[in-house]
Amino acid sequence: MGNVLIVDDSSTMRKIISRSLRQAGLQVDDIYEAGDGIEALSAMEGKTIDLILSDINMPNMDGLEFIKCVRAKGVSTPIVMITTEGGEDILKEAITNGASDSIKKPFTPDQLNEKLGGLL
Amino acid sequence: MMSLNREISHATHLQEADLASYVINATKEVFDTMVMMALEDSYPLKEPVTSFHCSVTGMVGLAGTYTGILSIHCPRSFALRITSNMLGMDVEEVGEDVNDALGEIANMLGGYVKQILSKGGLDINLSIPTVISGEDYTVNSMSDSDCVIIPFTNENERFLVGLKLRKEV
């Protein structure tokens, strides 16, 4: 069981991820949403977040910068990138910045279950 | 006849049919997993299409070692069906939800194209998606000779996916 923060500039994608988490049978309590890294940092304040799912390409603050900011605050919550980006170097940079794993869009609920099952 | 320019074929070691096949598979996968729709493709496009009526167009730009535009062009009724399926609720008007859904599809397709062109991913950037809609509009990039356009159908409704690419020196 756990609270999840979904960070993606597409409201459609946030809804799809949210629905897919439930369809995947993952034990989710509250789901919070943010449209970019800056909104996500605000959304985290005062809340217990057990898992962060973040896009990479976003306006204002992208996913790579967002991970850096989260880790710089000393927060160790697992961050999994859910992104259209499949490039090795970008994903390596995400891991270096502190991401735990990545999931390529488009995805199925089964793929979410496989990647996130151990984190919730 | 629409076609991929020779410079791109040479740089990517892909013929136009290979690139078209990659875009067809990517589009079918995106629609199968995210839109819950099975598509039929009817590549190649028989005649150029540059003018759209009561339609919605989603576009994402590529910039870096290659530049280009990946676009999806749908009749309004089909854009509403796509959005309704993605959101799991009835959407009856073109607005923020439709713009977001079409933009996200363009974004996912742009991600596939980027992956063919750049293994590492750092030498090409994808833009934030742009969506336009209207009664009558023209997309100039679709009239260029180096644009690959693929028609798809679902339940007798047709839409187009276009890819225009240029290799930067």
Side-chain angles (χ1 to χ4, degrees):
Chain A
M1 298 290 278
N3 298 330
V4 179
L5 171 63
I6 300 170
V7 191
D8 198 305
D9 57 325
S10 162
S11 58
T12 308
M13 188 49 65
R14 295 198 300 269
K15 280 185 186 148
I16 289 175
I17 294 171
S18 180
R19 189 174 63 219
S20 299
L21 287 171
R22 313 262 187 214
Q23 285 173 344
L26 293 162
Q27 301 296 306
V28 178
D29 291 325
D30 290 328
I31 296 179
Y32 302 102
E33 296 185 16
D36 60 39
I38 293 172
E39 275 186 24
L41 291 170
S42 303
M44 290 171 72
E45 283 179 19
K47 295 188 186 79
T48 303
I49 305 287
D50 301 290
L51 175 65
I52 299 169
L53 303 174
S54 177
D55 190 12
I56 291 181
N57 291 324
M58 294 181 287
N60 305 321
M61 181 189 283
D62 69 21
L64 297 175
E65 192 59 34
F66 168 61
I67 313 168
K68 269 193 208 168
C69 291
V70 171
R71 296 302 181 231
K73 287 171 177 272
V75 176
S76 59
T77 306
I79 305 174
V80 175
M81 312 314 289
I82 300 191
T83 177
T84 58
E85 293 286 355
E88 291 171 3
D89 294 338
I90 286 190
L91 296 178
K92 218 179 278 177
E93 192 176 331
I95 299 289
T96 304
N97 287 5
S100 318
D101 206 343
S102 66
I103 294 168
K104 179 96 170 74
K105 291 177 191 170
F107 53 81
T108 62
D110 284 348
Q111 286 164 339
L112 287 191
N113 194 1
E114 189 184 317
K115 291 270 188 177
L116 307 178
L119 298 172
L120 281 170
Chain B
M1 174 71 181
M2 301 281 159
S3 64
L4 188 69
N5 68 40
R6 284 175 184 220
E7 206 179 22
I8 297 291
S9 294
H10 181 73
T12 59
H13 306 292
L14 289 169
Q15 297 302 309
E16 182 186 324
D18 301 325
L19 193 63
S21 165
Y22 198 87
V23 173
I24 288 168
N25 291 336
T27 307
K28 286 182 176 178
E29 188 180 352
V30 167
F31 272 75
D32 189 43
T33 54
M34 299 276 108
V35 192
M36 312 302 162
M37 268 188 199
L39 300 180
E40 297 287 329
D41 70 273
S42 47
Y43 176 78
L45 184 70
K46 290 186 178 70
E47 74 290 337
V49 178
T50 56
S51 297
F52 298 92
H53 308 283
C54 299
S55 297
V56 184
T57 290
M59 296 181 280
V60 68
L62 295 103
T65 49
Y66 292 85
T67 55
I69 297 174
L70 182 293
S71 53
I72 172 168
H73 311 269
C74 304
R76 195 179 284 165
S77 57
F78 192 66
L80 291 170
R81 271 213 292 139
I82 289 175
T83 310
S84 298
N85 277 22
M86 289 177 88
L87 294 177
M89 59 186 229
D90 282 341
V91 177
E92 290 169 355
E93 282 178 15
V94 173
E96 209 172 295
D97 286 338
V98 170
N99 291 348
D100 191 82
L102 265 287
E104 190 55 24
I105 289 175
N107 186 40
M108 284 187 272
L109 295 176
Y112 274 99
V113 172
K114 178 177 168 177
Q115 219 175 332
I116 318 172
L117 303 174
S118 167
K119 200 176 171 212
L122 291 173
D123 56 338
I124 299 177
N125 289 317
L126 282 181
S127 74
I128 300 295
T130 299
V131 179
I132 55 171
S133 60
E135 299 297 323
D136 286 289
Y137 58 91
T138 302
V139 178
N140 290 326
S141 68
M142 301 279 282
S143 62
D144 291 352
S145 60
D146 56 349
C147 188
V148 176
I149 302 171
I150 300 156
F152 291 91
T153 53
N154 172 274
E155 294 183 8
N156 297 321
E157 280 196 289
R158 187 175 91 146
F159 73 96
L160 304 176
V161 172
L163 175 62
K164 178 186 167 70
L165 277 180
R166 195 173 72 187
K167 175 89 174 85
E168 296 301 318
V169 184

